[in-house]
Amino acid sequence: MNKLRTLVSLGLLLWLVGCANGTHRLPYDSWRLGFGTPNYMEVWIETADAVDVRDRVFRSAMSGIASTQSPKNLRSDPRGWPEQPGAGAGKQVLGADLPRLLYVRWQSLAEPQTYEAYIVIPEATREAMVKSELGYCAARGQWREDYRKMLTVGLAPGGIAKVWLLGPCLSAIDVTRVQATVVKVGPYDGTSGGQHRPLSDTSKSYIEKHGIPYCSW
């Protein structure tokens, strides 16, 4: 009996320490970081790093191709952002607490140009990430309690980074809009001789025909 009480007491102590350190702060295992672009405006993400509220850095939380639609009929309009953006191409940020800062360095293939942006996540956004709300899941045809645990970043020519917070069954809410700066050394920290990744033939054809609608994002 004494041994059982000791084990129970130890377990309770560890649980309390974990709470004090923020280990149990999130009501879910991880949050998601995703990226998208306007149609035809392709992007290659060199790195997307996240810093949580405990100042832990999660390097390369995402890298690679951002989600893009490039219909071959060249009739899709890339101007503006959708009212309800999708999750984008991304990954779960495992082991992180709530996000405080995002750093993104990317190649805007449509221009081409390399940008970097520091995106501060407001406290109001973090509060929304741990607030359970009732949402309708169209895929399941039912209502259920859910969390907004998905950050989607839209990257557009001119160095625009637009951020939304959404959930699998909850509508997106605006977080922030950031103007990035040009990375003067060029892509890949200047190691590629100024060569960006190639633009797809479809996107290249669209831009040659219609141009880039700057100031629409």
Side-chain angles (χ1 to χ4, degrees):
M1 180 63 71
N2 290 336
K3 184 177 181 180
L4 178 60
R5 288 179 179 176
T6 300
L7 290 174
V8 171
S9 298
L10 179 60
L12 178 61
L13 177 61
L14 291 174
W15 180 82
L16 291 173
V17 170
C19 289
N21 290 334
T23 303
H24 300 280
R25 179 183 176 91
L26 300 182
Y28 37 80
D29 293 335
S30 62
W31 50 271
R32 188 178 190 276
L33 180 60
F35 292 85
T37 77
N39 291 353
Y40 303 107
M41 305 297 145
E42 297 173 1
V43 158
W44 177 264
I45 301 163
E46 293 188 355
T47 187
D49 307 332
V51 181
D52 71 7
V53 292
R54 289 192 274 171
D55 288 331
R56 296 178 300 169
V57 180
F58 296 80
R59 300 194 183 280
S60 295
M62 172 56 185
S63 61
I65 300 173
S67 178
T68 306
Q69 297 295 322
S70 300
K72 292 185 178 180
N73 60 16
L74 306 184
R75 294 179 180 178
S76 184
D77 190 351
R79 293 176 296 178
W81 298 109
E83 291 186 6
Q84 293 298 323
K91 297 178 181 179
Q92 297 296 123
V93 186
L94 301 173
D97 206 317
L98 293 170
R100 181 178 66 81
L101 177 71
L102 301 176
Y103 169 76
V104 188
R105 187 176 70 248
W106 75 95
Q107 297 177 29
S108 175
L109 307 183
E111 300 175 82
Q113 187 63 271
T114 304
Y115 296 100
E116 64 178 356
Y118 293 87
I119 303 171
V120 177
I121 305 301
E123 176 62 29
T125 299
R126 290 191 289 273
E127 292 175 356
M129 291 180 73
V130 293
K131 180 183 178 182
S132 177
E133 293 188 31
L134 184 65
Y136 181 72
C137 296
R140 300 183 180 183
Q142 59 180 297
W143 292 83
R144 74 170 191 179
E145 290 287 328
D146 203 358
Y147 291 94
R148 288 186 173 88
K149 52 186 177 181
M150 303 159 65
L151 281 171
T152 296
V153 183
L155 301 174
I160 301 302
K162 171 74 174 179
V163 186
W164 298 269
L165 176 67
L166 59 153
C169 301
L170 296 173
S171 61
I173 57 177
D174 288 348
V175 174
T176 189
R177 179 181 183 276
V178 174
Q179 174 63 60
T181 58
V182 173
V183 178
K184 294 182 179 180
V185 297
Y188 301 113
D189 285 330
T191 61
S192 68
Q195 295 296 312
H196 290 81
R197 293 180 65 87
L199 189 64
S200 71
D201 290 340
T202 301
S203 292
K204 183 178 179 181
S205 296
Y206 180 92
I207 292 169
E208 289 176 346
K209 183 176 181 179
H210 300 286
I212 298 174
Y214 291 106
C215 301
S216 67
W217 302 293

